[in-house]
Amino acid sequence: MNPLNSPVELGMRALVLLARSHPDPLDLSWLVLLDHAMLHSGQFDGPPSLHPQLPAQPGELGMKRHLVQEGLEVLMRAGLATVEATGDGLVYKVTQRGSGFVGILEAPYVDALSLRAQWAIDQFASATDVVAATRDITARWHDEFTACTRHLGISHG
């Protein structure tokens, strides 16, 4: 199993986000958006990005949704997160065991994730429409891609 972009990796990042948002739950759409903002915070005028900007980023949000869902299933099987049905859909929360698990992790990457998770939650989760925020990210990629191809002399018809 490749550990990169695996359900375990995405689950661990989701767990950090859920621990930082506690006691507020997050739904899957928010987890996908906040995971992206946490990893690419520099693109949103936040702390330096943890992951590099890649040319294939436009498809990242679509691919990530499925992987985050699988990561959440790993967390729930391990008793680190729970899911609740609300009037707005399914929301996820960190369990006490999950908070404790995040608390004992000691690695510079986890510290950096935790810092950026709090930044992403503060920046986006309080008063942002998740659909509009996702649309803004996609539009930003489109504009950057169009500018890049124009710079290279590639026409879009």
Side-chain angles (χ1 to χ4, degrees), residues 10-68:
L10 275 283
M12 289 307 303
R13 293 199 315 245
L15 184 62
V16 170
L17 283 166
L18 291 171
R20 297 307 263 174
S21 74
H22 182 74
D24 297 322
L26 295 168
D27 70 11
L28 182 58
S29 296
W30 272 115
L31 284 165
V32 170
L33 177 73
L34 293 172
D35 183 75
H36 179 80
M38 177 173 65
L39 297 179
H40 302 288
S41 52
Q43 295 175 26
F44 303 98
D45 299 324
S49 297
L50 287 174
H51 289 192
Q53 187 170 356
L54 300 173
Q57 263 187 344
E60 190 175 306
L61 284 179
M63 296 275 301
K64 191 175 284 190
R65 186 173 180 86
H66 176 70
L67 294 171
V68 170

Side-chain angles (χ1 to χ4, degrees), residues 1-147:
M1 178 171 107
N2 183 356
L4 299 176
N5 290 320
S6 70
V8 173
E9 180 188 0
L10 275 283
M12 289 307 303
R13 293 199 315 245
L15 184 62
V16 170
L17 283 166
L18 291 171
R20 297 307 263 174
S21 74
H22 182 74
D24 297 322
L26 295 168
D27 70 11
L28 182 58
S29 296
W30 272 115
L31 284 165
V32 170
L33 177 73
L34 293 172
D35 183 75
H36 179 80
M38 177 173 65
L39 297 179
H40 302 288
S41 52
Q43 295 175 26
F44 303 98
D45 299 324
S49 297
L50 287 174
H51 289 192
Q53 187 170 356
L54 300 173
Q57 263 187 344
E60 190 175 306
L61 284 179
M63 296 275 301
K64 191 175 284 190
R65 186 173 180 86
H66 176 70
L67 294 171
V68 170
Q69 177 67 49
E70 288 181 350
L72 289 166
E73 291 169 12
V74 170
L75 296 178
M76 290 186 291
R77 281 196 302 267
L80 302 175
T82 61
V83 62
E84 293 177 18
T86 69
D88 295 327
L90 300 177
V91 294
Y92 300 89
K93 284 183 168 181
V94 68
T95 63
Q96 186 174 2
R97 183 178 184 182
S99 279
F101 185 76
V102 170
I104 63 169
L105 295 174
E106 293 183 9
Y109 185 76
V110 174
D111 292 341
L113 272 180
S114 187
L115 173 83
R116 283 155 182 84
Q118 189 63 58
W119 173 83
I121 289 166
D122 292 344
Q123 194 73 20
F124 293 101
S126 61
T128 304
D129 175 1
V130 69
V131 174
T134 303
R135 191 177 307 124
D136 288 346
I137 290 170
T138 305
R140 182 185 304 198
W141 286 329
H142 175 267
D143 294 345
E144 290 173 3
F145 180 76
T146 302

